[in-house]
């Protein structure tokens, strides 16, 4: 029995071959079965060995050792993983690619004053749209005339050939109710008497009516009473000295073409006006 124990002791103290060219590590002797070995205290050198070695190899960068709760983590050029509480690591090159995970019930994910901002955005959009519609919506361009009597110009009365020729100039006002200027390009006027079209004239112009303002223009037109149009009987009435004889009510129709915002529109006016075909300088009361 004693000889067998001696052989076991000799086997346990036999040095093991060196690993990776390093010095042979001293193995601890195992006591025989049934005996208790005295407790050994861990010295400071052993602690330093644990900190400075990994699997028996010395660390290249001892500062890369990070002590955590109850164990030592060897990183070697890596940084702790923020989302795994030190249980793992990532390369330093990927540190800028980290993504923070926020719990669903975190207060930072809850909307703050969302209804207020949405309401303000809707009100702002509606207000802007309303203002654009109000200012850019096209309004009517109106033509008006307040003249009650038109006096003749360049009047000629030929009793021998039963012909009367004269020119009347009809003034008009055009009103722009829009919030943008309007440009008038031309105006056409037609005069009718006794269901007969006496004349039609077109006047080209280049007038601009500014924003919410008015402008005036006049259209001259020639009128004739003779045998060709069947109104020769009016020649003697136009030669009478009394205004009552040479005043006639005629129908005038005027159409003005204008342009705004790239659109072409027309404004028209129809009216009845008294026209004098004699030497009458009196006006209606």
């Amino acid at each position: 029995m004693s000889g067998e124990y001696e052989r076991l002791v000799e086997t346990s103290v036999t040095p093991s071959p060196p690993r990776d060219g390093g010095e042979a590590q001293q193995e601890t002797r195992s006591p025989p079965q049934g005996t208790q070995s005295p407790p050994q205290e861990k010295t400071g050198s052993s602690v330093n060995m644990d900190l400075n070695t990994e699997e028996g190899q010395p660390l290249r960068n001892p500062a890369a050792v990070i002590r955590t709760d109850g164990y030592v983590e060897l990183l070697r050029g890596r940084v702790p993983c923020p989302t795994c509480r030190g249980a793992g690591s990532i390369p330093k090159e990927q540190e800028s690619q980290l993504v923070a995970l926020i719990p669903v019930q975190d207060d930072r994910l809850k909307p703050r004053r969302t209804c207020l901002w949405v309401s303000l955005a809707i009100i702002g959009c509606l207000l802007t749209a309303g203002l654009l519609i109000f200012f850019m919506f096209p309004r009517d361009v109106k033509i008006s005339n307040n003249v009650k009597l038109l006096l003749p110009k360049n009047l000629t009365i030929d009793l021998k050939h039963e012909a009367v020729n004269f020119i009347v100039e009809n003034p008009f006002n055009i009103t722009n109710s829009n919030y943008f200027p309007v440009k008038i390009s031309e105006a056409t006027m037609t005069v009718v008497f006794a269901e007969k079209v006496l004349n039609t004239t077109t006047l080209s112009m280049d007038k601009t009516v500014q924003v919410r303002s008015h402008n005036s223009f006049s259209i001259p037109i020639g009128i004739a009473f003779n045998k060709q149009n069947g109104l020769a009987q009016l020649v003697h009435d136009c030669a009478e000295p009394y205004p009552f004889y040479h005043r006639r009510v005629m129908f005038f129709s005027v159409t003005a073409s204008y342009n705004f915002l790239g659109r072409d529109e027309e404004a028209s006016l129809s009216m009845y006006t008294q026209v004098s075909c004699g030497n009458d300088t009196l006006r209606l009361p």
Side-chain angles (χ1 to χ4, degrees):
M1 183 68 179
S2 60
E4 184 179 357
Y5 179 76
E6 291 175 358
R7 287 192 302 268
L8 292 174
V9 172
E10 291 174 359
T11 306
S12 62
V13 298
T14 303
S16 60
R19 184 187 306 174
D20 298 336
E23 296 181 356
Q25 295 183 357
Q26 186 177 1
E27 298 183 358
T28 58
R29 296 180 181 181
S30 59
Q33 191 175 3
T35 62
Q36 296 181 356
S37 60
Q40 299 180 358
E41 296 181 356
K42 194 172 184 180
T43 61
S45 60
S46 62
V47 174
N48 294 333
M49 181 184 66
D50 293 341
L51 295 176
N52 297 330
T53 61
E54 180 183 3
E55 297 181 359
Q57 298 295 331
L59 288 176
R60 297 180 181 178
N61 186 12
V65 180
I66 297 178
R67 185 179 297 275
T68 58
D69 298 337
Y71 61 91
V72 176
E73 186 174 3
L74 307 179
L75 298 178
R76 287 190 178 181
R78 297 173 179 267
V79 295
C81 179
T83 60
C84 51
R85 299 179 180 179
S89 61
I90 62 172
K92 286 186 176 180
E93 294 79 6
Q94 300 180 1
E95 185 177 2
S96 60
Q97 302 178 3
L98 291 177
V99 179
L101 301 179
I102 302 177
V104 177
Q105 298 180 352
D106 195 288
D107 293 338
R108 291 173 292 179
L109 297 179
K110 294 181 180 180
R112 297 180 180 179
R113 300 180 180 179
T114 304
C115 296
L116 176 61
W117 293 115
V118 172
S119 301
L120 290 177
I122 294 176
I123 293 175
C125 293
L126 292 178
L127 182 61
T128 304
L131 291 176
L132 288 176
I133 293 175
F134 177 78
F135 287 105
M136 303 305 296
F137 186 80
R139 295 169 174 81
D140 293 335
V141 176
K142 298 180 179 180
I143 301 177
S144 60
N145 180 289
N146 298 323
V147 178
K148 297 180 180 179
L149 175 65
L150 295 178
L151 298 178
K153 295 181 179 181
N154 301 331
L155 176 64
T156 59
I157 301 176
D158 188 353
L159 296 178
K160 181 178 180 180
H161 297 88
E162 295 183 346
V164 175
N165 294 283
F166 60 94
I167 297 175
V168 293
E169 190 171 350
N170 204 349
F172 298 94
N173 292 325
I174 184 166
T175 304
N176 179 21
S177 302
N178 297 283
Y179 287 90
F180 43 82
V182 171
K183 182 178 180 181
I184 305 174
S185 58
E186 65 177 15
T188 301
M189 186 172 65
T190 302
V191 56
V192 179
F193 177 71
E195 298 182 355
K196 298 178 180 180
V197 177
L198 300 183
N199 197 2
T200 300
T201 184
T202 300
L203 177 64
S204 298
M205 63 183 69
D206 188 10
K207 289 183 175 292
T208 300
V209 185
Q210 297 300 328
V211 177
R212 299 188 66 81
S213 62
H214 60 87
N215 203 337
S216 60
F217 62 95
S218 299
I219 304 177
I221 189 171
I223 299 176
F225 299 152
N226 48 43
K227 296 180 179 180
Q228 285 75 14
N229 55 22
L231 299 176
Q233 68 274 10
L234 298 177
V235 174
H236 296 280
D237 294 339
C238 295
E240 292 290 336
Y242 303 103
F244 175 78
Y245 289 98
H246 45 75
R247 289 182 180 179
R248 297 291 184 269
V249 177
M250 299 184 183
F251 176 79
F252 290 86
S253 176
V254 60
T255 301
S257 300
Y258 60 92
N259 178 275
F260 67 92
L261 300 179
R263 298 177 54 183
D264 296 327
E265 298 290 341
E266 290 184 352
S268 59
L269 175 67
S270 299
M271 60 183 179
Y272 288 91
T273 305
Q274 281 190 342
V275 177
S276 176
C277 61
N279 293 323
D280 187 359
T281 57
L282 299 177
R283 294 183 178 272
L284 292 179

